[in-house]
Amino acid sequence: MRSSLTTLAYALLANAVNGQLDIGSLLSGLGPAPADDPRWTDFHPPGTGDVRSPCPGLNALANHGFIHHDGKNMTLPHLIEGLAAGMNMGADFTVAISGAGLLSSPDPFAGAFDLNDLDMHNFPIEHDASLSRQDAYFGNDYSFYNDNWQQVLNFYDGKTTTDVPTASRAKYARVNDSMTINPTFTYGTREAIFSYGETALYIQSMSDPASGMAQIDYVRSLFEQEKLPFELGWRPSAAPITLQSLGNMVFELFLANPQNVPEGLTITANSYKDAFEAVAGGSNILANLTDGLSTSVGL
Ligand code: HEM
Ligand SMILES: *[C@@H]1O[C@H](CO)[C@@H](O)[C@H](O)[C@H]1NC(C)=O
Ligand SMILES: *[C@@H]1O[C@H](CO)[C@@H](O)[C@H](O)[C@H]1NC(C)=O
Ligand SMILES: *[C@@H]1O[C@H](CO)[C@@H](O)[C@H](O)[C@H]1NC(C)=O
């Protein structure tokens, strides 16, 4: 275990490094890589020593080299650039969720995490009733688990694209299943909002920030192979996918079945953004964790 002195030294070092960050140039000119970028078709599953996460989005980006293929040393500047290049994720989203992600690392204030840190159960992001993973109670909560994924896919039987009402029902089927079979099932405000966010993420990353219509074969590639479906015809969204576009869809998913959230919980378009600040322990702590970047992107 690292002594607190070492932890402090790491934090100071991270600040010294980050202090040289030119936030303005980091946040300007972000966007998807051009169509001839070799990474779109350069797909390599993880090899020996590489680490992956419970997140199909990050795993796919690592499998294409948009973020480090070994899954390690994920810093904010690296993620902001990689998620924009591979999926046109807005910097506001990447900063908020990466701030939360840092909390799962053994050294949150050192400024980097490894993808396998993210399997920590019930905090900061991981939760029960995932679409394509098992609950931690049953063992491995990070690898693709087809039985659960088929429960989701069943709802899209006969359809070629997603739609918000179906996505909302499919998500609830996983909650209902976990509630029935997992004696330690945990599902409160954090879990409900983040899991709606993940449904919004697969829809928007595989289509655009507004339509709600992603091709099912693209979605299956993302989950089942952790591969960007470039060869199937998918292209990254032309408009950036932001905390607000995701928050709007979280709200729509909730409105489609408002009885399917924990009793008393009301979700609005701001709930998704608020949940990241809440899980970090407040906007000041999020700002500290992200070395001021959260403030720069309006959080
Ligand atoms: C730094 C950025 C990100 C971090 C730290 C992160 C972290 C996580 C974590 C910890 C989970 C597991 C939640 C659970 O228990 O199910 C998760 C799930 C998920 N993430 Fe990410 N994520 C990030 C970016 C993305 C992006 C860009 C996408 C776009 C496709 C994405 C899509 C998803 C989806 C669809 C799930 C749900 C998986 C399931 O329910 O089986 N994530 N993410
Ligand atoms: C992690 O990444 C940072 C910035 O990208 C780099 O300066 C540092 O050397 C890397 N550390 C390791 C252990 O690879
Ligand atoms: C919830 O699960 C129960 C028990 O498996 C099942 O009978 C019921 O149909 C499910 N309801 C929904 C809405 O999925
Ligand atoms: C953020 O860091 C500063 C020093 O770098 C410290 O004074 C402050 O208490 C921290 N704030 C929070 C909320 O952790």
Side-chain angles (χ1 to χ4, degrees):
M1 210 173 130
R2 279 177 184 143
S3 71
S4 55
L5 197 61
T6 318
T7 305
L8 180 64
Y10 267 76
L12 290 173
L13 184 64
N15 274 334
V17 171
N18 293 345
Q20 295 159 12
L21 236 187
D22 180 345
I23 292 180
S25 67
L26 174 66
L27 297 179
S28 69
L30 290 171
D36 63 356
D37 190 296
R39 292 172 292 184
W40 297 121
T41 50
D42 182 22
F43 169 75
H44 295 286
T48 313
D50 297 341
V51 296
R52 290 295 180 264
S53 72
C55 175
L58 292 178
N59 293 353
L61 290 165
N63 288 342
H64 284 266
F66 282 107
I67 57 176
H68 302 306
H69 188 267
D70 69 1
K72 297 174 186 167
N73 194 23
M74 298 293 162
T75 64
L76 260 83
H78 181 69
L79 288 162
I80 289 169
E81 282 170 8
L83 270 60
M87 289 186 179
N88 206 3
M89 304 309 297
D92 60 344
F93 164 78
T94 304
V95 168
I97 196 167
S98 302
L102 282 170
L103 291 169
S104 60
S105 108
D107 224 345
F109 288 90
F113 61 86
D114 296 344
L115 292 187
N116 59 341
D117 292 335
L118 295 172
D119 63 14
M120 178 190 281
H121 182 47
N122 274 346
F123 180 83
I125 303 171
E126 200 279 341
H127 53 78
D128 287 335
S130 302
L131 303 169
S132 70
R133 268 63 178 165
Q134 279 189 294
D135 290 358
Y137 175 79
F138 299 110
N140 177 335
D141 65 357
Y142 54 90
S143 300
F144 178 69
Y145 187 73
N146 192 49
D147 287 2
N148 289 352
W149 175 237
Q150 290 304 319
Q151 294 175 21
V152 175
L153 219 45
N154 277 341
F155 284 78
Y156 292 118
D157 215 19
K159 296 177 193 273
T160 54
T161 70
T162 60
D163 59 86
V164 166
T166 306
S168 182
R169 284 199 301 278
K171 184 200 120 49
Y172 184 68
R174 289 289 310 117
V175 173
N176 187 40
D177 178 59
S178 281
M179 193 159 50
T180 311
I181 64 176
N182 177 356
T184 64
F185 180 66
T186 305
Y187 197 77
T189 302
R190 182 189 72 93
E191 292 79 12
I193 294 173
F194 283 165
S195 59
Y196 274 126
E198 289 148 13
T199 288
L201 275 165
Y202 81 72
I203 293 175
Q204 296 195 7
S205 65
M206 293 298 107
S207 62
D208 60 77
S211 72
M213 291 168 61
Q215 286 194 33
I216 305 295
D217 57 342
Y218 299 173
V219 171
R220 290 189 59 184
S221 170
L222 176 72
F223 277 93
E224 296 173 19
Q225 299 180 68
E226 302 191 327
K227 180 177 183 185
L228 298 175
F230 193 85
E231 282 129 330
L232 298 177
W234 169 87
R235 293 295 178 270
S237 169
I241 295 161
T242 64
L243 270 184
Q244 198 57 60
S245 72
L246 293 163
N248 289 344
M249 195 167 280
V250 166
F251 181 46
E252 289 171 25
L253 288 159
F254 161 72
L255 287 183
N257 291 290
Q259 74 284 4
N260 288 353
V261 299
E263 197 151 338
L265 174 61
T266 300
I267 292 180
T268 70
N270 284 326
S271 298
Y272 190 52
K273 169 174 102 58
D274 294 346
F276 287 113
E277 288 178 353
V279 81
S283 57
N284 287 342
I285 298 177
L286 188 62
N288 263 22
L289 277 167
T290 63
D291 206 30
L293 278 167
S294 61
T295 316
S296 307
V297 297
L299 291 167

